[in-house]
Amino acid sequence: MNQDSQAVGTSWAAERNASFSAERANRVARNAVTSSNVMAAARDTTKMRTYSDTYGISVPKTAKITNQRQSGRCWFFSAMNALRHDTMEFLDVDTIEFSQSFGMFYDKLEKANSTLEYAIRTADLPIDSREVCLVLEDGIGDGGYYSFAMNLVRKWGIVPKSAMPETACSKNSTQMNDQLGRLVRKGALELRRMHEAGAADDALRARKQEILSDVHRLLATCLGEPPVTFDLELEVGEKCKADPAKVSAVEPEPKSDEGEKGASNAAEGDKPKAKRILRDFGITPLEFAKRYVPVDPDDYVALVSMPGRDRPWGTAWHITLTDSVQGGRPNRVLNVAPEVLDAAATASLRAGVPCAMACDVMQEFPRYIDDYNYVLSLDGLDLEGLFGVDLSMGRADMIDARETSLTHAMCFQGVELDGEGRPKAWRVENSWGKDMGKDGYLVMSADWFHLYGGEVDVRREFVPADVLRQWDEAPATDIAPWSNVCHALGKRD
């Protein structure tokens, strides 16, 4: 075998170094990229400026933009941003935010339990087997899926953000995660050694509960103790559907200046309206979810689009060794054509209901440039023109080559349709704060979503009947966490 054909030749590289700078286009591209970086140099403002933040179909009432800070909780923020819409309608309020710290506490506790449980179930496998390595490396990170959030709501409930505010560790989770990871991995190794020494399952799980007590202590130290009960006091609107016995009117205090004038104005009908205050004392998180979040956490369908020869439409998948809540609903998805995702999401938005979605957000995303940092499109960045190379890939090839993964979850809040009723662009609510993107929102072209998107989580009522039957009836095929499909599904953070 010719060894020279396997290595990069030094003379070959020298020739290309010389020829590169001989071309004007190369020099211009080099100067632009080395001074301003790739995305800024590649942006095509003539294309980007054609994307406007106007939509023919949009959710009529949107809440304040949330901010996950330096944590990998986009999947939980996305789910809560979708659910809070119904609470806003129910209470007739303009905005509300649920406690992501509360969800984080129980997500970490459940993930620790699952990691230790999987350590017991895989105790007969070698320590460096793929399964054991996956459990130890990935079990207690921040990332997750829509199903994780719904399992938490079903089991633990929801509280308003005021009942369990953010902490330094929820805003920036790295330091907490480092210590939690060590604690859980140490426990997993101990359980494996107990199994090797002949300990019975009852003894292993008794020790697991002791380890979980330490996990709880660590989480309570970092995030605070989650409320068992709390007092709900909230100003609501006139159309509030809550129990009238829990809503009382509070007359506004009269203005202190110009008493006679104030009395005159009151006589003329200018007296301020009384505030309506909802008070529900000693309520549990599950009671709050049941009374004020009128959404069934089981009433959703997880649709993904993963084309490929060995990935037929209508296939349901379950990722093994990843379910975070033992005894909860398995992390199951249904593979469908991209047009099905479009139709389901559009139907949801037509009804005024936002829906969670997931995508490979950093693909062709000019996040850090000064202008148009909110446009996700396939024509806004001329990367091939900048480099003079062919970068084009279809979605099926990208999945096979592990070039794409659903890394980030957000919410669809609006859609603009073309003349044939197909999506042209989506309005996307992000969770990076109001100063990122366009007032916290992104504009996503439909073709970008078809290439780099790939999941919507919508209520059953918005799914076509034939697809809903597949969701209900198709048996789930177990797939390994290291498979191409699992890599493409990602773990949103």
Side-chain angles (χ1 to χ4, degrees):
M1 181 180 293
N2 185 353
Q3 296 293 325
D4 291 340
S5 66
Q6 300 178 40
V8 176
T10 55
S11 59
W12 176 91
E15 291 173 1
R16 274 145 188 83
N17 289 342
S19 63
F20 178 87
S21 58
E23 296 185 20
R24 174 183 176 276
N26 289 342
R27 296 196 303 273
V28 172
R30 177 201 60 203
N31 293 342
V33 173
T34 55
S35 62
S36 63
N37 219 324
V38 172
M39 295 301 174
R43 79 190 192 284
D44 185 343
T45 57
T46 61
K47 297 293 186 182
M48 285 187 168
R49 68 192 184 197
T50 64
Y51 291 93
S52 60
D53 191 28
T54 56
Y55 304 89
I57 301 171
S58 61
V59 174
K61 182 184 288 188
T62 57
K64 291 181 180 179
I65 291 293
T66 56
N67 194 341
Q68 68 188 79
R69 306 297 179 103
Q70 285 72 50
S71 70
R73 298 176 289 165
C74 67
W75 56 277
F76 194 78
F77 274 72
S78 172
M80 294 302 101
N81 287 346
L83 293 186
R84 66 178 176 168
H85 165 269
D86 292 86
T87 298
M88 290 160 57
E89 292 291 328
F90 185 83
L91 298 178
D92 190 23
V93 296
D94 292 330
T95 191
I96 194 169
E97 187 170 353
F98 298 144
S99 171
Q100 298 90 2
S101 185
F102 177 84
M104 189 181 207
F105 184 101
Y106 285 113
D107 175 59
K108 295 294 186 183
L109 185 63
E110 292 285 2
K111 283 176 176 173
N113 177 65
S114 284
T115 298
L116 296 171
E117 185 64 30
Y118 288 136
I120 294 172
R121 297 180 194 177
T122 60
D124 287 325
L125 298 177
I127 190 68
D128 59 353
S129 67
R130 266 184 155 180
E131 292 84 351
V132 175
C133 289
L134 184 283
V135 168
L136 295 178
E137 290 173 2
D138 197 44
I140 39 74
D142 283 356
Y145 303 91
Y146 191 83
S147 62
F148 286 15
M150 295 303 102
N151 279 331
L152 294 174
V153 171
R154 184 186 307 106
K155 183 173 181 178
W156 300 104
I158 295 175
V159 302
K161 188 172 183 177
S162 58
M164 190 171 177
E166 294 284 277
T167 72
C169 292
S170 66
K171 294 176 183 177
N172 190 330
S173 58
T174 300
Q175 295 179 35
M176 175 183 68
N177 287 344
D178 287 346
Q179 307 315 312
L180 177 62
R182 173 174 289 197
L183 178 61
V184 173
R185 293 185 187 103
K186 176 186 176 184
L189 194 60
E190 180 184 351
L191 292 172
R192 286 180 59 87
R193 288 172 176 165
M194 288 177 62
H195 173 80
E196 186 179 359
D201 283 354
D202 287 348
L204 293 175
R205 289 186 169 84
R207 179 57 186 143
K208 183 188 78 168
Q209 290 302 123
E210 294 173 352
I211 298 169
L212 286 177
S213 293
D214 288 340
V215 169
H216 186 281
R217 182 178 297 108
L218 189 153
L219 291 173
T221 302
C222 293
L223 301 174
E225 307 93 318
V228 177
T229 63
F230 64 98
D231 293 337
L232 176 65
E233 295 186 86
L234 182 69
E235 183 176 351
V236 296
E238 295 182 357
K239 298 179 181 178
C240 175
K241 303 180 182 68
D243 181 358
K246 298 182 184 296
V247 179
S248 57
V250 177
E251 295 293 338
E253 295 183 5
K255 294 183 179 180
S256 58
D257 60 328
E258 301 185 52
E260 294 183 2
K261 183 178 179 181
S264 175
N265 287 340
E268 295 173 6
D270 290 338
K271 184 178 180 181
K273 291 183 179 180
K275 293 182 178 180
R276 291 165 52 82
I277 306 298
L278 169 64
R279 293 185 175 90
D280 199 343
F281 298 131
I283 188 173
T284 69
L286 280 171
E287 288 172 338
F288 176 84
K290 182 177 180 180
R291 294 175 190 175
Y292 305 115
V293 190
V295 181
D296 181 354
D298 289 325
D299 184 29
Y300 74 93
V301 177
L303 301 175
V304 300
S305 188
M306 302 289 168
R309 288 182 301 175
D310 58 346
R311 297 182 289 270
W313 304 137
T315 303
W317 290 308
H318 167 250
I319 308 172
T320 59
L321 297 175
T322 60
D323 292 320
S324 62
V325 177
Q326 297 299 306
R329 183 171 174 175
N331 184 24
R332 181 175 180 270
V333 298
L334 180 68
N335 191 33
V336 296
E339 293 77 16
V340 178
L341 272 65
D342 292 347
T346 300
S348 182
L349 294 172
R350 283 188 186 279
V353 178
C355 63
M357 53 79 67
C359 65
D360 194 355
V361 70
M362 295 309 294
Q363 294 274 12
E364 302 191 47
F365 181 20
R367 177 180 178 181
Y368 296 109
I369 66 173
D370 291 334
D371 52 359
Y372 304 109
N373 61 358
Y374 56 89
V375 176
L376 288 168
S377 69
L378 298 184
D379 59 359
L381 297 168
D382 187 8
L383 294 164
E384 294 187 359
L386 178 68
F387 292 115
V389 297
D390 183 3
L391 296 170
S392 61
M393 292 183 75
R395 180 159 176 76
D397 284 347
M398 284 197 295
I399 293 172
D400 289 338
R402 299 193 169 217
E403 167 57 20
T404 190
S405 179
L406 302 179
T407 58
H408 189 53
M410 299 180 282
C411 264
F412 280 146
Q413 291 278 6
V415 63
E416 179 70 13
L417 305 179
D418 63 18
E420 298 180 2
R422 294 174 300 196
K424 289 172 54 181
W426 301 94
R427 187 183 198 216
V428 185
E429 178 188 13
N430 205 353
S431 55
W432 292 345
K434 63 181 179 61
D435 295 327
M436 293 296 295
K438 190 170 186 179
D439 301 322
Y441 288 86
L442 302 178
V443 177
M444 180 185 293
S445 71
D447 55 356
W448 188 97
F449 181 65
H450 281 185
L451 187 61
Y452 298 125
E455 178 171 346
V456 295
D457 301 279
V458 295
R459 296 184 193 173
R460 293 173 59 90
E461 63 187 286
F462 304 125
V463 178
D466 58 330
V467 177
L468 192 58
R469 280 195 300 273
Q470 291 176 328
W471 171 257
D472 289 335
E473 299 172 5
T477 301
D478 284 338
I479 56 174
W482 50 83
S483 67
N484 281 352
V485 169
C486 182
H487 179 269
L489 288 173
K491 203 164 193 181
R492 298 77 200 259
D493 56 16

